[in-house]
Amino acid sequence: MKNKILKLSRDNIQNLTPYQSARSIGGTDGSILLNANESPLPVAFKLKKKIFNRYPECQPYNLILLYSDYINLSCEQILVTRGADEGIELLIKAFCQPRRDAIIYCPPTYDMYRVSAQIADIHIKTIPTIKNTWQLDLPNIQCNLIGVKLIYICNPNNPTGNLILQNDLISLLKMTVGQCLVVIDEAYIEFTPTNTMTNYLSKYSNLVILRTLSKAFALAGIRCGFTLSHPEIINTLKKVISPYPISIPVADIAIQALKTKNIQLMRNRVLSLNNNRTWLIEKLQHIPCVEKVFVSHANYILVKFFMFKKIFDTLWKKGIILRNQNEKNNLNKCIRISIGTHLENILLIKELKIFSEENMF
Ligand SMILES: *Cc1c(COP(=O)(O)O)cnc(C)c1O
């Protein structure tokens, strides 16, 4: 019976390796969660709206207005979505013909580009970034553009933490203009705001930028993101988005988060997390079980360990939950560590020192 039902699903779904979300992998209440790049500190909000009998606005106007102020774009260039993840999916829905078109995917990077393409039965051209610098392999991308509609680039890249060279992004935009869309996922751009590509939206009609309130804004729980692009692309995406994607409570809270005072608080949190990152990197570099610490411009660090598996498991048992990256392209023995509060970072370093003493000498 069970097998028969499984065979009812589409072939590509039967073959799909689903996205492994941090929350599905585990960690219990009371754990130190350094595995999902969330803000380690909550921000308290109160719902202002109290009644919900009516459907929400399809695209909450006041929310878009505030976001347009925040990023200096016009409202026509903005789509609000259920997290940046929905933006990834809508682009595929609107632009890719199943079993004909392709996306370009440059691992090691965010898995959802691959997962969304597989769900939609879109071809995936995998063009890994260059090992250890994690920069784009532009010649290889150029040779593989036939049939490609979307190129997903994460900047700063998750899980490696590096920035993609701006000249490479511009070369890529020029190389593909009129041919395919370059989607730059700026989920972590608040941690390095001068590197945003929003200034290039007016120049390149094939540029799409993804943003989220889940990371620097400390709002992963409300599921709110933005897709930024040319108005005609935004209108095309509006054709495929569900009728009422943003619930009234989500818009209510997102609007509060984008008020001047709260944006300033977000910027202060970013400064503090960036300082914590500098502190953590310095400490990690002096720990014997650490093989390599990669440069990061976001709220997480990629670290290569000696005995990574034993470290991952030992810390897990002590309630410090990290993200294993060992199975990913070119990330042998690597673990991604989200930047926690100063106290959480101290506890992490303490456990890594104990581990080194017990296992390395
Ligand atoms: C966390 C993350 C997202 C998802 O953002 P949501 O708005 O929570 O859906 C998208 N892209 C990258 C690179 C991320 O790390």
Side-chain angles (χ1 to χ4, degrees):
M1 182 64 187
K2 188 164 174 258
N3 274 342
K4 268 193 181 161
I5 288 176
L6 288 180
K7 290 218 172 85
L8 290 176
S9 67
R10 293 157 59 202
D11 297 350
N12 57 314
I13 303 301
Q14 290 181 38
N15 297 329
L16 177 70
T17 310
Y19 183 73
Q20 289 248 326
S21 74
R23 210 53 86 242
S24 68
I25 298 169
T28 48
D29 281 356
S31 308
I32 298 181
L33 296 175
L34 303 179
N35 64 343
N37 299 342
E38 297 143 321
S39 165
L41 289 172
V43 185
F45 289 98
K46 279 205 183 95
L47 276 184
K48 296 198 166 145
K49 298 260 166 64
K50 311 268 186 216
I51 52 170
F52 309 109
N53 58 313
R54 299 294 179 186
Y55 281 113
E57 285 174 274
C58 303
Q59 286 287 298
Y61 180 70
N62 288 331
L63 174 53
I64 293 193
L65 205 56
L66 283 168
Y67 205 75
S68 83
D69 272 353
Y70 166 58
I71 49 168
N72 242 322
L73 292 176
S74 74
C75 293
E76 296 70 42
Q77 293 171 291
I78 303 172
L79 182 77
V80 198
T81 58
R82 285 172 289 205
D85 282 348
E86 189 180 34
I88 295 170
E89 191 192 335
L90 292 176
L91 285 157
I92 290 176
K93 264 193 188 165
F95 288 91
C96 298
Q97 184 84 40
R99 287 179 295 280
R100 186 191 74 191
D101 295 338
I103 67 156
I104 284 182
Y105 168 67
C106 306
T109 191
Y110 189 51
D111 257 357
M112 280 305 291
Y113 317 135
R114 169 190 69 75
V115 172
S116 290
Q118 275 180 316
I119 291 172
D121 216 356
I122 304 304
H123 297 296
I124 299 169
K125 296 197 180 185
T126 301
I127 303 182
T129 49
I130 304 193
K131 196 173 172 181
N132 289 328
T133 68
W134 317 121
Q135 293 301 324
L136 302 176
D137 184 350
L138 283 179
N140 208 351
I141 291 178
Q142 187 157 29
C143 297
N144 279 284
L145 286 175
I146 295 169
V148 171
K149 290 285 185 68
L150 302 167
I151 303 176
Y152 284 97
I153 310 284
C154 187
N155 191 39
N157 188 42
N158 176 8
T160 53
N162 64 293
L163 285 165
I164 307 299
L165 296 169
Q166 193 169 70
N167 283 341
D168 283 2
L169 293 175
I170 291 167
S171 303
L172 186 62
L173 284 162
K174 285 189 177 145
M175 186 195 292
T176 55
V177 80
Q179 192 178 353
C180 64
L181 302 184
V182 175
V183 184
I184 303 185
D185 184 341
E186 295 192 337
Y188 300 95
I189 203 69
E190 278 82 7
F191 297 95
T192 175
T194 54
N195 290 290
T196 181
M197 292 292 284
T198 48
N199 304 335
Y200 290 89
L201 283 169
S202 54
K203 186 156 181 200
Y204 295 102
S205 57
N206 62 328
L207 172 59
V208 180
I209 295 174
L210 301 173
R211 293 288 194 93
T212 179
L213 298 186
S214 297
K215 310 288 161 55
F217 280 92
L219 285 173
I222 71 167
R223 314 301 303 120
C224 185
F226 301 88
T227 301
L228 318 175
S229 194
H230 190 280
E232 284 179 19
I233 292 178
I234 297 298
N235 281 335
T236 305
L237 296 176
K238 282 182 183 165
K239 288 175 148 183
V240 300
I241 198 168
S242 68
Y244 309 104
I246 309 299
S247 72
I248 291 171
V250 169
D252 182 353
I253 292 186
I255 283 169
Q256 296 177 50
L258 290 166
K259 294 277 157 81
T260 313
K261 185 182 116 241
N262 282 325
I263 288 178
Q264 194 48 52
L265 290 175
M266 177 277 289
R267 292 195 170 119
N268 293 345
R269 279 196 308 279
V270 161
L271 285 179
S272 151
L273 282 169
N274 282 348
N275 287 334
N276 287 358
R277 181 183 67 218
T278 307
W279 182 90
L280 198 56
I281 289 174
E282 206 275 323
K283 295 289 173 193
L284 285 167
Q285 278 163 342
H286 292 98
I287 290 183
C289 62
V290 170
E291 188 173 333
K292 178 167 183 165
V293 184
F294 288 91
V295 174
S296 172
H297 298 268
N299 65 333
Y300 50 86
I301 313 170
L302 185 72
V303 185
K304 188 172 186 183
F305 287 97
F306 299 108
M307 296 188 285
F308 90 95
K309 181 74 177 113
K310 198 167 176 196
I311 290 175
F312 183 84
D313 293 341
T314 304
L315 268 69
W316 180 287
K317 284 188 201 121
K318 301 210 171 190
I320 301 178
I321 312 298
L322 309 177
R323 190 69 166 253
N324 183 359
Q325 302 289 338
N326 181 57
E327 319 305 326
K328 298 247 187 101
N329 274 61
N330 291 331
L331 295 188
N332 204 343
K333 300 195 291 172
C334 289
I335 294 177
R336 192 193 68 194
I337 305 175
S338 306
I339 310 296
T341 61
H342 189 54
L343 179 62
E344 288 172 334
N345 299 337
I346 288 172
L347 292 171
L348 169 73
I349 293 296
K350 185 180 129 210
E351 292 301 338
L352 287 173
K353 277 186 180 157
I354 293 173
F355 180 92
S356 295
E357 274 161 27
E358 288 176 352
N359 293 278
M360 307 266 318
F361 304 106

